Amino acid sequence: MSATLVLSGAREPGPWPWRSGFLCALCAVPLLLFGGSVTTLGAGMAVDGWLIAEGHFLLFFPAEKWFRDTATFVEHSHRLFGVLVGLCALACLALVWLRDPRRSARLGALAALLAVCAQGTLGGLRVLENSPELAFLHGALAQLVFAILCANATLLSPAWRAVSRPSRVAHAERRAFAGAALLALLVTYAQVGLGAWYRHGLRPEPVAASALRLALHGLGALFVLASAAALMRRAARLRAAEGELEVGLARSLRLLPGLLLVQLLLGGLAWAGFRPGEIGPAEWALSIAHVLGGALLLATLAVVALWARRLANAAAPRRAAAARLEAR
């Protein structure tokens, strides 16, 4: 299927804005892994202080203290990757502002930077106040920030700047697909919140309260499956109506079934292998893999919802034009 550039008449932004956005999202993966490890190991207060940590500026924290124990290594590494992601987001915004004239690209890069800054500030306040509530909020927002970074990379990608020509315009199907994508995204993020609620409530709570949180998280998984199944059905109808989907959207949709299956498997293994008070290598690996799987699933749905909204918006002007022609 042929493609034409949306930016006709405008200068090409080149590859660097997209590369910077992609690098920002990629660097957030180890940030998530170390963040999940902080929660799993209970290492949130392993380093005293935030920007000034135990008498040292964050970036100049001594190596002998950094490697003194596992908890300190995990917590300080998490902070360093947070700084790296922040610098990448800042560089991305600068490159987009200099090279890409599109309003959506600039807003996306700005949203990515603001999300990273807000998340970093929240993490710092969590340490300074030693607040379990802020720890939960920091954990619940982490995967949302990752989804925003992936959405920003999508807005800057070559696939987003290229518009394919569908064989038929199915406005009703596009709107229904966009609605199903948004619903799946919201349901999945609610499930992410339940997972963070469960993980941050394990240690100080009795077994009954922990079991209730786990049951709600398990129930949430059923809603995620139902919303994802509805989304895939709508995608199949849209594909039948238009013949072929956008390349970026089709790739994201192909990832969904595998991500769902892996996430369910990881969640089941993590639940089966969990023993209160015992965090061995297997428990740690399953826990952070499950956290990363949830982040990847949420980010994929965010990208699908972004594409779906674009398709729905693109069909609306054509439908209005057709109505005006019929009225003449």
Side-chain angles (χ1 to χ4, degrees):
M1 180 176 293
S2 62
T4 58
L5 289 177
V6 176
L7 296 176
S8 57
R11 72 179 188 272
E12 273 292 306
W16 287 107
W18 173 74
R19 288 174 181 173
S20 64
F22 178 78
L23 179 63
C24 189
L26 187 64
C27 289
V29 172
L31 177 63
L32 283 168
L33 292 175
F34 276 107
S37 299
V38 168
T39 302
T40 301
L41 300 175
M45 298 301 296
V47 179
D48 185 23
W50 177 37
L51 290 178
I52 304 300
E54 300 182 9
H56 307 277
F57 180 60
L58 173 63
L59 296 180
F60 302 133
F61 194 69
E64 59 271 16
K65 290 187 177 182
W66 183 10
F67 293 94
R68 67 190 174 195
D69 54 51
T70 302
T72 302
F73 172 75
V74 167
E75 167 64 359
H76 188 59
S77 298
H78 177 56
R79 297 181 184 187
L80 292 180
F81 271 107
V83 173
L84 177 60
V85 171
L87 292 174
C88 288
L90 185 60
C92 178
L93 178 61
L95 285 168
V96 168
W97 193 264
L98 291 172
R99 303 295 301 274
D100 197 330
R102 293 175 301 151
R103 182 171 177 268
S104 61
R106 293 180 173 183
L107 289 177
L110 178 61
L113 178 61
L114 292 178
V116 171
C117 291
Q119 178 70 346
T121 302
L122 187 61
L125 292 175
R126 175 265 183 274
V127 172
L128 295 177
E129 298 185 16
N130 192 13
S131 169
E133 291 77 15
L134 289 179
F136 157 69
L137 187 59
H138 185 61
L141 288 179
Q143 298 184 32
L144 177 60
V145 173
F146 179 66
I148 292 173
L149 294 179
C150 291
N152 176 55
T154 301
L155 286 171
L156 300 174
S157 66
W160 185 266
R161 297 199 308 269
V163 177
S164 60
R165 302 181 182 276
S167 57
R168 285 177 291 179
V169 176
H171 184 59
E173 286 295 341
R174 287 184 172 195
R175 286 176 60 89
F177 176 65
L182 179 60
L183 178 62
L185 177 64
L186 294 176
V187 170
T188 302
Y189 186 60
Q191 172 70 342
V192 166
L194 287 173
W197 189 42
Y198 170 67
R199 281 169 52 79
H200 286 83
L202 281 178
R203 290 174 180 80
E205 287 190 336
V207 174
S210 178
L212 175 61
R213 292 174 187 252
L214 180 59
L216 290 174
H217 189 48
L219 182 62
L222 298 179
F223 283 96
V224 171
L225 283 175
S227 63
L231 173 61
M232 297 305 293
R233 285 196 299 269
R234 284 295 179 184
R237 292 180 183 178
L238 183 63
R239 188 180 293 109
E242 300 203 352
E244 187 176 349
L245 299 179
E246 299 289 343
V247 174
L249 174 59
R251 288 173 181 169
S252 299
L253 287 171
R254 283 196 295 268
L255 288 175
L256 276 181
L259 286 173
L260 281 168
L261 180 61
V262 170
Q263 185 67 349
L264 287 173
L265 180 62
L266 288 172
L269 290 174
W271 171 78
F274 176 75
R275 299 292 182 273
E278 298 179 12
I279 303 295
E283 290 81 7
W284 166 79
L286 286 172
S287 176
I288 64 169
H290 191 51
V291 170
L292 180 60
L296 292 173
L297 179 60
L298 184 70
T300 302
L301 286 170
V303 171
V304 169
L306 197 62
W307 275 107
R309 179 49 52 190
R310 186 182 191 190
L311 289 176
N313 290 340
R318 297 178 185 179
R319 186 186 186 193
R324 286 194 297 269
L325 288 175
E326 290 177 1
R328 290 179 179 177

